[in-house]
Amino acid sequence: MGKELAEAEIEIAKEKLEAFIDDRGARRWGNATVNLYFALEHLIKALLAISGIEAKSHEGLRILFSMHFIKPGAISPKIGRYLGNLYDRRVTAEYSPLRRSEFTEEEVNTYLEWVKESLQEIFPLIEKGEIDTRGLKSVVERL
């Protein structure tokens, strides 16, 4: 499960970041927010997979991420907060069509900074698992 699942999650994260780039260019701020959330979620799933852990739900992901990486001090608590806040905004973007217009470029730029900060902490841990992140990093360079 570990390495193979982690590599699959990294590929999905890469696809979500590529979709974010397209959405940002088209000024689709709600969709951009959704794709940033899912990129971060799949990176965290990759990190968990390296440790032999598979989350079955968003809540499970948050609990397992906190238990195995935040509480032991490997990842800053703010990354967990970023994940939770992005999740809430993703839900708004996807399930509240009348509120989609409230998403702004400024807000999305804040979320992008959160994801970049998260990547700085998550990448080294993923790479310790001998997972190839070159493709993902090439997309991150375009953010």
Side-chain angles (χ1 to χ4, degrees):
M1 168 176 88
K3 186 172 182 176
E4 184 178 354
L5 179 57
E7 288 171 344
E9 296 291 358
I10 292 290
E11 183 61 28
I12 294 169
K14 180 180 146 229
E15 291 169 4
K16 295 300 180 183
L17 288 176
E18 289 169 337
F20 163 78
I21 291 168
D22 292 342
D23 289 331
R24 181 178 59 184
R27 304 181 65 77
R28 293 184 299 258
W29 306 123
N31 287 347
T33 300
V34 169
N35 282 310
L36 282 175
Y37 166 75
F38 280 116
L40 183 56
E41 177 187 84
H42 287 284
L43 284 170
I44 292 169
K45 285 182 173 183
L47 186 58
L48 290 168
I50 291 166
S51 298
I53 303 163
E54 186 175 3
K56 302 290 186 193
S57 66
H58 171 74
E59 188 60 28
L61 177 83
R62 288 177 68 179
I63 291 168
L64 293 168
F65 181 54
S66 179
M67 183 185 335
H68 293 280
F69 294 96
I70 294 173
K71 286 184 180 173
I75 297 281
S76 167
K78 70 182 175 183
I79 307 304
R81 289 191 297 274
Y82 294 164
L83 178 68
N85 290 335
L86 275 169
Y87 174 79
D88 292 342
R89 294 305 282 154
R90 180 209 52 109
V91 169
T92 299
E94 289 193 316
Y95 300 112
S96 300
L98 298 177
R99 293 183 61 194
R100 288 182 67 84
S101 63
E102 74 184 42
F103 288 85
T104 65
E105 181 176 8
E106 181 179 349
E107 179 181 10
V108 170
N109 286 337
T110 297
Y111 301 152
L112 177 58
E113 289 307 310
W114 290 357
V115 170
K116 286 179 176 179
E117 283 182 54
S118 302
L119 290 169
Q120 289 176 353
E121 293 195 35
I122 293 170
F123 265 151
L125 297 174
I126 288 174
E127 289 170 339
K128 281 184 183 177
E130 299 182 5
I131 304 298
D132 183 7
T133 59
R134 288 176 292 185
L136 180 58
K137 283 186 174 180
S138 70
V139 173
V140 170
E141 290 171 3
R142 298 179 10 228
L143 295 176

